[in-house]
Amino acid sequence: MKVGIVGAGMVGSSAGYALAMLGIVSDIVLVDRNAALALAQAEDISHAVPFVSATTVIAGDYADLTGAGVVILAAGVSQKPGETRLELLERNAAVFRDVVGEVLRVAPDAILLIASNPVDIMTQVATRLSGLPPQRVIGSGTILDSARFRSLIGRHLGISPQSVHAYVLGEHGDSEVLGWSNARAGSVSLQSFAEQIGSPLTDDVRQSIDEGVRNAAYKIINGKGATYYGIGAGLARIVKAIAQDQRDVLSVSIVTPHIVDVEDVALSVPRIVGADGVVADLIPELEASEHTALGRSAALLKERVESIKF
Ligand SMILES: NC(=O)C1=CN([C@@H]2O[C@H](COP(=O)(O)OP(=O)(O)OC[C@H]3O[C@@H](n4cnc5c(N)ncnc54)[C@H](O)[C@@H]3O)[C@@H](O)[C@H]2O)C=CC1
Ligand SMILES: CC(=O)C(=O)O
């Protein structure tokens, strides 16, 4: 499969690097309005390829995306220290008005994989601009937040994050909802396992994990200006599910007809991802407080998406 990446900055190039390291696609094409940057990133990534895979990595123009199975959209501006994701909306919506049409002109059958922030709203913008079915316009959503959640739970319990099954729901942003009530260590409820090993999930522990997940991006951006390795790996993980028709359960964002009391809003719940994009949703049973918080998150996103013209 050929994968296109529009936006060859930190996120786009990290996704390209992660994909090249996985070695699961034949071709990666990087496109950026800064052609020199795209070329430099492609060259650099291609020099890592001989160590692990045979993926061809080039820089190109939109025409070079012809035949792509997936196109990642990581173009636009990113947060400055202290800035929220939602503050990027108008600028990145303007970028998508140019980019989405260009991509579809040459790759009408591609699944669009959205990374640019605010990712849920950009997913809804891309869905509307493209006219594609929502299942084929997938935002990375809370895949990164779920990884952060699993990582912090795993650390607390002393088990691998891959053995923690836990999802962050709703917005990829400040209103996100950590799904504590559904979280599992292996097949055991988190609370039960934590008590068995004498490391209970006290209110303080939960609070500290919640803050660690919710504020991760702010802390990293303060420290090094941007986040990119985590989302790069997350995007590669979604491409793998599509390229290999894996039907993996991943928390990703698509326009969802109905969630809590909100209609037609893009946000994340666990969904099954395969060759045709999102194949089905796994709407979790939530505790009352989580259900209310998910409704608030959905309503906030809906209000913001209705505030922009596209
Ligand atoms: N979904 C997620 O979990 C995450 C999303 N992000 C978001 O990803 C986006 C990219 O972030 P970075 O790579 O750090 O930014 P960056 O500034 O390093 O890269 C953005 C690239 O987009 C290019 N670009 C801008 N307008 C363009 C256009 N019209 N056509 C083609 N290329 C264009 C720029 O030349 C630049 O190279 C941001 O919106 C950021 O907030 C960042 C981290 C995590
Ligand atoms: C920047 C961003 O969206 C993140 O790292 O979560």
Side-chain angles (χ1 to χ4, degrees), residues 96-97 100-101 104 112 114 120-134 136-137 255 263-266 301-310:
F96 270 34
R97 274 180 216 116
V100 171
L104 285 180
L112 301 183
I114 316 302
D120 302 289
I121 302 180
M122 296 312 299
T123 300
Q124 193 142 1
V125 168
T127 306
R128 187 93 58 94
L129 289 172
S130 67
L132 291 172
R136 297 183 71 81
V137 185
V255 176
E263 316 281 325
D264 286 324
V265 66
L301 286 168
K302 181 75 180 180
E303 189 189 313
R304 290 309 295 259
V305 86
E306 284 184 345
S307 74
I308 53 162
K309 292 189 177 59
F310 56 91

mmCIF file of all heavy atoms in Angstrom, residues 96-97 100-101 104 112 114 120-134 136-137 255 263-266 301-310:
data_model
loop_
_atom_site.group_PDB
_atom_site.id
_atom_site.type_symbol
_atom_site.label_atom_id
_atom_site.label_comp_id
_atom_site.label_asym_id
_atom_site.label_seq_id
_atom_site.Cartn_x
_atom_site.Cartn_y
_atom_site.Cartn_z
ATOM 1 N N PHE A 96 -7.182 23.099 5.492
ATOM 2 C CA PHE A 96 -7.909 21.924 4.979
ATOM 3 C C PHE A 96 -8.766 22.277 3.763
ATOM 4 O O PHE A 96 -8.993 21.423 2.907
ATOM 5 C CB PHE A 96 -8.774 21.303 6.093
ATOM 6 C CG PHE A 96 -8.047 20.258 6.897
ATOM 7 C CD1 PHE A 96 -6.694 20.372 7.154
ATOM 8 C CD2 PHE A 96 -8.717 19.148 7.401
ATOM 9 C CE1 PHE A 96 -6.013 19.411 7.894
ATOM 10 C CE2 PHE A 96 -8.046 18.171 8.133
ATOM 11 C CZ PHE A 96 -6.694 18.312 8.389
ATOM 12 N N ARG A 97 -9.230 23.521 3.706
ATOM 13 C CA ARG A 97 -10.024 23.914 2.523
ATOM 14 C C ARG A 97 -9.182 23.756 1.264
ATOM 15 O O ARG A 97 -9.688 23.403 0.209
ATOM 16 C CB ARG A 97 -10.505 25.364 2.663
ATOM 17 C CG ARG A 97 -11.804 25.453 3.426
ATOM 18 C CD ARG A 97 -12.300 26.895 3.574
ATOM 19 N NE ARG A 97 -12.922 27.026 4.869
ATOM 20 C CZ ARG A 97 -12.497 27.798 5.866
ATOM 21 N NH1 ARG A 97 -11.463 28.577 5.710
ATOM 22 N NH2 ARG A 97 -13.119 27.796 7.019
ATOM 23 N N VAL A 100 -7.736 19.219 1.251
ATOM 24 C CA VAL A 100 -8.624 18.056 1.062
ATOM 25 C C VAL A 100 -8.987 17.870 -0.413
ATOM 26 O O VAL A 100 -8.923 16.753 -0.949
ATOM 27 C CB VAL A 100 -9.886 18.176 1.949
ATOM 28 C CG1 VAL A 100 -10.904 17.107 1.605
ATOM 29 C CG2 VAL A 100 -9.495 18.079 3.427
ATOM 30 N N GLY A 101 -9.302 18.973 -1.107
ATOM 31 C CA GLY A 101 -9.659 18.890 -2.527
ATOM 32 C C GLY A 101 -8.488 18.379 -3.350
ATOM 33 O O GLY A 101 -8.661 17.548 -4.254
ATOM 34 N N LEU A 104 -8.134 14.582 -2.843
ATOM 35 C CA LEU A 104 -9.196 13.762 -3.456
ATOM 36 C C LEU A 104 -9.133 13.759 -4.977
ATOM 37 O O LEU A 104 -9.533 12.792 -5.614
ATOM 38 C CB LEU A 104 -10.564 14.264 -2.996
ATOM 39 C CG LEU A 104 -10.908 13.879 -1.566
ATOM 40 C CD1 LEU A 104 -12.273 14.413 -1.201
ATOM 41 C CD2 LEU A 104 -10.878 12.369 -1.375
ATOM 42 N N LEU A 112 -8.900 8.935 4.482
ATOM 43 C CA LEU A 112 -8.213 10.101 5.046
ATOM 44 C C LEU A 112 -8.009 9.870 6.536
ATOM 45 O O LEU A 112 -8.954 9.502 7.248
ATOM 46 C CB LEU A 112 -9.045 11.371 4.824
ATOM 47 C CG LEU A 112 -9.371 11.740 3.369
ATOM 48 C CD1 LEU A 112 -10.141 13.061 3.324
ATOM 49 C CD2 LEU A 112 -8.093 11.840 2.532
ATOM 50 N N ILE A 114 -6.786 11.837 9.805
ATOM 51 C CA ILE A 114 -6.570 13.228 10.219
ATOM 52 C C ILE A 114 -5.770 13.291 11.521
ATOM 53 O O ILE A 114 -6.130 12.625 12.509
ATOM 54 C CB ILE A 114 -7.922 13.954 10.444
ATOM 55 C CG1 ILE A 114 -8.922 13.651 9.313
ATOM 56 C CG2 ILE A 114 -7.711 15.453 10.647
ATOM 57 C CD1 ILE A 114 -8.475 14.009 7.931
ATOM 58 N N ASP A 120 -10.710 16.411 16.354
ATOM 59 C CA ASP A 120 -12.104 15.986 16.161
ATOM 60 C C ASP A 120 -12.825 16.930 15.192
ATOM 61 O O ASP A 120 -13.534 16.485 14.288
ATOM 62 C CB ASP A 120 -12.829 15.947 17.512
ATOM 63 C CG ASP A 120 -12.131 15.015 18.471
ATOM 64 O OD1 ASP A 120 -12.193 13.801 18.259
ATOM 65 O OD2 ASP A 120 -11.464 15.509 19.407
ATOM 66 N N ILE A 121 -12.601 18.213 15.386
ATOM 67 C CA ILE A 121 -13.292 19.172 14.524
ATOM 68 C C ILE A 121 -12.702 19.134 13.120
ATOM 69 O O ILE A 121 -13.425 19.214 12.121
ATOM 70 C CB ILE A 121 -13.240 20.581 15.141
ATOM 71 C CG1 ILE A 121 -13.894 20.524 16.535
ATOM 72 C CG2 ILE A 121 -13.955 21.593 14.261
ATOM 73 C CD1 ILE A 121 -13.919 21.821 17.276
ATOM 74 N N MET A 122 -11.375 18.957 13.033
ATOM 75 C CA MET A 122 -10.756 18.849 11.704
ATOM 76 C C MET A 122 -11.254 17.600 10.982
ATOM 77 O O MET A 122 -11.378 17.585 9.756
ATOM 78 C CB MET A 122 -9.226 18.824 11.834
ATOM 79 C CG MET A 122 -8.607 20.087 12.409
ATOM 80 S SD MET A 122 -9.199 21.608 11.671
ATOM 81 C CE MET A 122 -8.703 21.345 9.985
ATOM 82 N N THR A 123 -11.577 16.568 11.727
ATOM 83 C CA THR A 123 -12.135 15.349 11.122
ATOM 84 C C THR A 123 -13.524 15.648 10.560
ATOM 85 O O THR A 123 -13.873 15.204 9.454
ATOM 86 C CB THR A 123 -12.206 14.236 12.189
ATOM 87 O OG1 THR A 123 -10.869 14.000 12.655
ATOM 88 C CG2 THR A 123 -12.801 12.955 11.632
ATOM 89 N N GLN A 124 -14.293 16.411 11.317
ATOM 90 C CA GLN A 124 -15.633 16.755 10.847
ATOM 91 C C GLN A 124 -15.544 17.693 9.626
ATOM 92 O O GLN A 124 -16.303 17.546 8.666
ATOM 93 C CB GLN A 124 -16.429 17.409 11.984
ATOM 94 C CG GLN A 124 -17.900 17.500 11.688
ATOM 95 C CD GLN A 124 -18.777 17.254 12.919
ATOM 96 O OE1 GLN A 124 -18.281 17.022 14.015
ATOM 97 N NE2 GLN A 124 -20.083 17.299 12.722
ATOM 98 N N VAL A 125 -14.583 18.622 9.660
ATOM 99 C CA VAL A 125 -14.368 19.517 8.515
ATOM 100 C C VAL A 125 -13.980 18.691 7.283
ATOM 101 O O VAL A 125 -14.527 18.867 6.189
ATOM 102 C CB VAL A 125 -13.261 20.552 8.846
ATOM 103 C CG1 VAL A 125 -12.814 21.309 7.602
ATOM 104 C CG2 VAL A 125 -13.738 21.527 9.918
ATOM 105 N N ALA A 126 -13.047 17.766 7.460
ATOM 106 C CA ALA A 126 -12.578 16.947 6.324
ATOM 107 C C ALA A 126 -13.691 16.051 5.788
ATOM 108 O O ALA A 126 -13.794 15.820 4.582
ATOM 109 C CB ALA A 126 -11.372 16.108 6.747
ATOM 110 N N THR A 127 -14.541 15.568 6.678
ATOM 111 C CA THR A 127 -15.663 14.727 6.237
ATOM 112 C C THR A 127 -16.604 15.549 5.364
ATOM 113 O O THR A 127 -17.012 15.129 4.278
ATOM 114 C CB THR A 127 -16.427 14.169 7.463
ATOM 115 O OG1 THR A 127 -15.505 13.509 8.307
ATOM 116 C CG2 THR A 127 -17.519 13.196 7.039
ATOM 117 N N ARG A 128 -16.915 16.746 5.839
ATOM 118 C CA ARG A 128 -17.826 17.612 5.094
ATOM 119 C C ARG A 128 -17.204 18.049 3.759
ATOM 120 O O ARG A 128 -17.843 17.967 2.712
ATOM 121 C CB ARG A 128 -18.149 18.833 5.977
ATOM 122 C CG ARG A 128 -19.194 19.780 5.496
ATOM 123 C CD ARG A 128 -20.606 19.497 6.018
ATOM 124 N NE ARG A 128 -20.740 19.504 7.459
ATOM 125 C CZ ARG A 128 -21.109 20.575 8.190
ATOM 126 N NH1 ARG A 128 -21.297 21.747 7.616
ATOM 127 N NH2 ARG A 128 -21.284 20.463 9.489
ATOM 128 N N LEU A 129 -15.923 18.473 3.777
ATOM 129 C CA LEU A 129 -15.281 18.957 2.554
ATOM 130 C C LEU A 129 -15.128 17.846 1.520
ATOM 131 O O LEU A 129 -15.230 18.084 0.327
ATOM 132 C CB LEU A 129 -13.883 19.522 2.870
ATOM 133 C CG LEU A 129 -13.805 20.842 3.633
ATOM 134 C CD1 LEU A 129 -12.359 21.137 4.024
ATOM 135 C CD2 LEU A 129 -14.358 21.981 2.781
ATOM 136 N N SER A 130 -14.870 16.623 1.992
ATOM 137 C CA SER A 130 -14.573 15.522 1.063
ATOM 138 C C SER A 130 -15.836 14.876 0.518
ATOM 139 O O SER A 130 -15.827 14.303 -0.565
ATOM 140 C CB SER A 130 -13.732 14.451 1.770
ATOM 141 O OG SER A 130 -14.503 13.814 2.788
ATOM 142 N N GLY A 131 -16.918 14.911 1.296
ATOM 143 C CA GLY A 131 -18.127 14.187 0.895
ATOM 144 C C GLY A 131 -17.979 12.679 1.032
ATOM 145 O O GLY A 131 -18.842 11.912 0.606
ATOM 146 N N LEU A 132 -16.895 12.225 1.636
ATOM 147 C CA LEU A 132 -16.690 10.781 1.824
ATOM 148 C C LEU A 132 -17.571 10.278 2.968
ATOM 149 O O LEU A 132 -17.957 11.045 3.855
ATOM 150 C CB LEU A 132 -15.220 10.496 2.181
ATOM 151 C CG LEU A 132 -14.197 10.738 1.075
ATOM 152 C CD1 LEU A 132 -12.772 10.611 1.629
ATOM 153 C CD2 LEU A 132 -14.397 9.745 -0.065
ATOM 154 N N PRO A 133 -17.872 8.964 2.984
ATOM 155 C CA PRO A 133 -18.604 8.435 4.132
ATOM 156 C C PRO A 133 -17.771 8.598 5.398
ATOM 157 O O PRO A 133 -16.540 8.481 5.353
ATOM 158 C CB PRO A 133 -18.768 6.939 3.799
ATOM 159 C CG PRO A 133 -18.233 6.735 2.431
ATOM 160 C CD PRO A 133 -17.507 7.964 1.987
ATOM 161 N N PRO A 134 -18.408 8.896 6.534
ATOM 162 C CA PRO A 134 -17.651 9.145 7.771
ATOM 163 C C PRO A 134 -16.682 8.016 8.125
ATOM 164 O O PRO A 134 -15.620 8.271 8.693
ATOM 165 C CB PRO A 134 -18.756 9.264 8.830
ATOM 166 C CG PRO A 134 -19.961 9.673 8.081
ATOM 167 C CD PRO A 134 -19.854 9.085 6.703
ATOM 168 N N ARG A 136 -14.675 6.587 6.381
ATOM 169 C CA ARG A 136 -13.424 6.671 5.619
ATOM 170 C C ARG A 136 -12.665 7.970 5.915
ATOM 171 O O ARG A 136 -11.668 8.270 5.263
ATOM 172 C CB ARG A 136 -13.695 6.538 4.114
ATOM 173 C CG ARG A 136 -14.294 5.168 3.769
ATOM 174 C CD ARG A 136 -14.493 4.997 2.278
ATOM 175 N NE ARG A 136 -13.236 4.847 1.550
ATOM 176 C CZ ARG A 136 -12.547 3.720 1.445
ATOM 177 N NH1 ARG A 136 -12.989 2.621 2.024
ATOM 178 N NH2 ARG A 136 -11.425 3.685 0.762
ATOM 179 N N VAL A 137 -13.130 8.717 6.905
ATOM 180 C CA VAL A 137 -12.411 9.941 7.324
ATOM 181 C C VAL A 137 -12.193 9.810 8.830
ATOM 182 O O VAL A 137 -13.078 10.093 9.641
ATOM 183 C CB VAL A 137 -13.216 11.210 6.992
ATOM 184 C CG1 VAL A 137 -12.391 12.453 7.327
ATOM 185 C CG2 VAL A 137 -13.629 11.227 5.522
ATOM 186 N N VAL A 255 -17.209 11.106 12.489
ATOM 187 C CA VAL A 255 -18.512 11.743 12.710
ATOM 188 C C VAL A 255 -19.499 10.653 13.108
ATOM 189 O O VAL A 255 -19.656 9.639 12.421
ATOM 190 C CB VAL A 255 -18.987 12.494 11.447
ATOM 191 C CG1 VAL A 255 -20.389 13.055 11.665
ATOM 192 C CG2 VAL A 255 -18.026 13.623 11.104
ATOM 193 N N GLU A 263 -26.179 14.891 18.222
ATOM 194 C CA GLU A 263 -26.239 14.303 16.878
ATOM 195 C C GLU A 263 -25.052 14.798 16.051
ATOM 196 O O GLU A 263 -24.651 15.956 16.170
ATOM 197 C CB GLU A 263 -27.506 14.757 16.119
ATOM 198 C CG GLU A 263 -28.790 14.748 16.923
ATOM 199 C CD GLU A 263 -29.361 13.357 17.048
ATOM 200 O OE1 GLU A 263 -29.237 12.591 16.086
ATOM 201 O OE2 GLU A 263 -29.913 13.037 18.120
ATOM 202 N N ASP A 264 -24.553 13.900 15.190
ATOM 203 C CA ASP A 264 -23.562 14.270 14.177
ATOM 204 C C ASP A 264 -22.392 15.067 14.727
ATOM 205 O O ASP A 264 -22.240 16.263 14.442
ATOM 206 C CB ASP A 264 -24.227 15.084 13.044
ATOM 207 C CG ASP A 264 -25.047 14.173 12.163
ATOM 208 O OD1 ASP A 264 -24.627 13.031 11.942
ATOM 209 O OD2 ASP A 264 -26.138 14.610 11.746
ATOM 210 N N VAL A 265 -21.572 14.402 15.464
ATOM 211 C CA VAL A 265 -20.375 15.061 16.002
ATOM 212 C C VAL A 265 -19.218 14.062 15.935
ATOM 213 O O VAL A 265 -19.411 12.868 16.164
ATOM 214 C CB VAL A 265 -20.627 15.567 17.446
ATOM 215 C CG1 VAL A 265 -20.847 14.453 18.441
ATOM 216 C CG2 VAL A 265 -19.499 16.468 17.910
ATOM 217 N N ALA A 266 -18.031 14.571 15.588
ATOM 218 C CA ALA A 266 -16.850 13.698 15.549
ATOM 219 C C ALA A 266 -16.195 13.673 16.922
ATOM 220 O O ALA A 266 -15.896 14.721 17.498
ATOM 221 C CB ALA A 266 -15.855 14.195 14.503
ATOM 222 N N LEU A 301 -17.881 19.978 21.507
ATOM 223 C CA LEU A 301 -17.369 19.819 20.140
ATOM 224 C C LEU A 301 -18.412 20.263 19.118
ATOM 225 O O LEU A 301 -18.096 20.923 18.133
ATOM 226 C CB LEU A 301 -16.973 18.360 19.891
ATOM 227 C CG LEU A 301 -15.673 17.926 20.576
ATOM 228 C CD1 LEU A 301 -15.504 16.415 20.523
ATOM 229 C CD2 LEU A 301 -14.468 18.611 19.919
ATOM 230 N N LYS A 302 -19.642 19.880 19.370
ATOM 231 C CA LYS A 302 -20.722 20.228 18.435
ATOM 232 C C LYS A 302 -20.874 21.747 18.338
ATOM 233 O O LYS A 302 -21.027 22.308 17.249
ATOM 234 C CB LYS A 302 -22.016 19.579 18.932
ATOM 235 C CG LYS A 302 -23.210 19.831 18.071
ATOM 236 C CD LYS A 302 -23.185 19.013 16.792
ATOM 237 C CE LYS A 302 -24.416 19.285 15.941
ATOM 238 N NZ LYS A 302 -24.404 18.523 14.716
ATOM 239 N N GLU A 303 -20.799 22.417 19.496
ATOM 240 C CA GLU A 303 -20.923 23.874 19.497
ATOM 241 C C GLU A 303 -19.789 24.503 18.685
ATOM 242 O O GLU A 303 -20.011 25.407 17.882
ATOM 243 C CB GLU A 303 -20.861 24.345 20.958
ATOM 244 C CG GLU A 303 -21.176 25.791 21.170
ATOM 245 C CD GLU A 303 -20.860 26.171 22.614
ATOM 246 O OE1 GLU A 303 -21.263 25.440 23.543
ATOM 247 O OE2 GLU A 303 -20.167 27.186 22.797
ATOM 248 N N ARG A 304 -18.569 23.983 18.857
ATOM 249 C CA ARG A 304 -17.426 24.565 18.134
ATOM 250 C C ARG A 304 -17.516 24.310 16.642
ATOM 251 O O ARG A 304 -17.188 25.154 15.820
ATOM 252 C CB ARG A 304 -16.093 24.021 18.674
ATOM 253 C CG ARG A 304 -15.730 24.487 20.050
ATOM 254 C CD ARG A 304 -15.810 25.996 20.215
ATOM 255 N NE ARG A 304 -14.837 26.723 19.411
ATOM 256 C CZ ARG A 304 -13.711 27.227 19.869
ATOM 257 N NH1 ARG A 304 -13.425 27.127 21.143
ATOM 258 N NH2 ARG A 304 -12.866 27.844 19.085
ATOM 259 N N VAL A 305 -17.955 23.111 16.274
ATOM 260 C CA VAL A 305 -17.993 22.789 14.838
ATOM 261 C C VAL A 305 -19.069 23.625 14.148
ATOM 262 O O VAL A 305 -18.919 24.015 12.984
ATOM 263 C CB VAL A 305 -18.169 21.270 14.616
ATOM 264 C CG1 VAL A 305 -19.607 20.820 14.635
ATOM 265 C CG2 VAL A 305 -17.515 20.846 13.311
ATOM 266 N N GLU A 306 -20.112 23.946 14.880
ATOM 267 C CA GLU A 306 -21.172 24.748 14.264
ATOM 268 C C GLU A 306 -20.782 26.217 14.162
ATOM 269 O O GLU A 306 -21.421 26.979 13.444
ATOM 270 C CB GLU A 306 -22.475 24.591 15.061
ATOM 271 C CG GLU A 306 -23.104 23.247 14.738
ATOM 272 C CD GLU A 306 -24.450 23.018 15.381
ATOM 273 O OE1 GLU A 306 -24.803 23.763 16.319
ATOM 274 O OE2 GLU A 306 -25.115 22.076 14.944
ATOM 275 N N SER A 307 -19.702 26.600 14.887
ATOM 276 C CA SER A 307 -19.302 28.004 14.876
ATOM 277 C C SER A 307 -18.439 28.358 13.669
ATOM 278 O O SER A 307 -18.173 29.525 13.419
ATOM 279 C CB SER A 307 -18.533 28.340 16.159
ATOM 280 O OG SER A 307 -17.227 27.785 16.095
ATOM 281 N N ILE A 308 -17.984 27.333 12.925
ATOM 282 C CA ILE A 308 -17.124 27.677 11.778
ATOM 283 C C ILE A 308 -17.847 27.437 10.467
ATOM 284 O O ILE A 308 -18.705 26.566 10.362
ATOM 285 C CB ILE A 308 -15.787 26.885 11.767
ATOM 286 C CG1 ILE A 308 -16.047 25.379 11.858
ATOM 287 C CG2 ILE A 308 -14.851 27.345 12.809
ATOM 288 C CD1 ILE A 308 -14.852 24.592 11.408
ATOM 289 N N LYS A 309 -17.449 28.209 9.477
ATOM 290 C CA LYS A 309 -18.056 28.058 8.138
ATOM 291 C C LYS A 309 -17.118 27.204 7.304
ATOM 292 O O LYS A 309 -15.929 27.496 7.228
ATOM 293 C CB LYS A 309 -18.233 29.417 7.496
ATOM 294 C CG LYS A 309 -19.271 30.282 8.172
ATOM 295 C CD LYS A 309 -19.557 31.524 7.348
ATOM 296 C CE LYS A 309 -20.643 32.363 7.968
ATOM 297 N NZ LYS A 309 -20.327 32.816 9.340
ATOM 298 N N PHE A 310 -17.650 26.140 6.704
ATOM 299 C CA PHE A 310 -16.804 25.374 5.762
ATOM 300 C C PHE A 310 -17.669 24.654 4.755
ATOM 301 O O PHE A 310 -18.880 24.633 4.900
ATOM 302 C CB PHE A 310 -15.890 24.414 6.515
ATOM 303 C CG PHE A 310 -16.572 23.454 7.434
ATOM 304 C CD1 PHE A 310 -16.983 22.200 6.990
ATOM 305 C CD2 PHE A 310 -16.820 23.785 8.760
ATOM 306 C CE1 PHE A 310 -17.596 21.314 7.858
ATOM 307 C CE2 PHE A 310 -17.433 22.901 9.626
ATOM 308 C CZ PHE A 310 -17.835 21.650 9.176
#
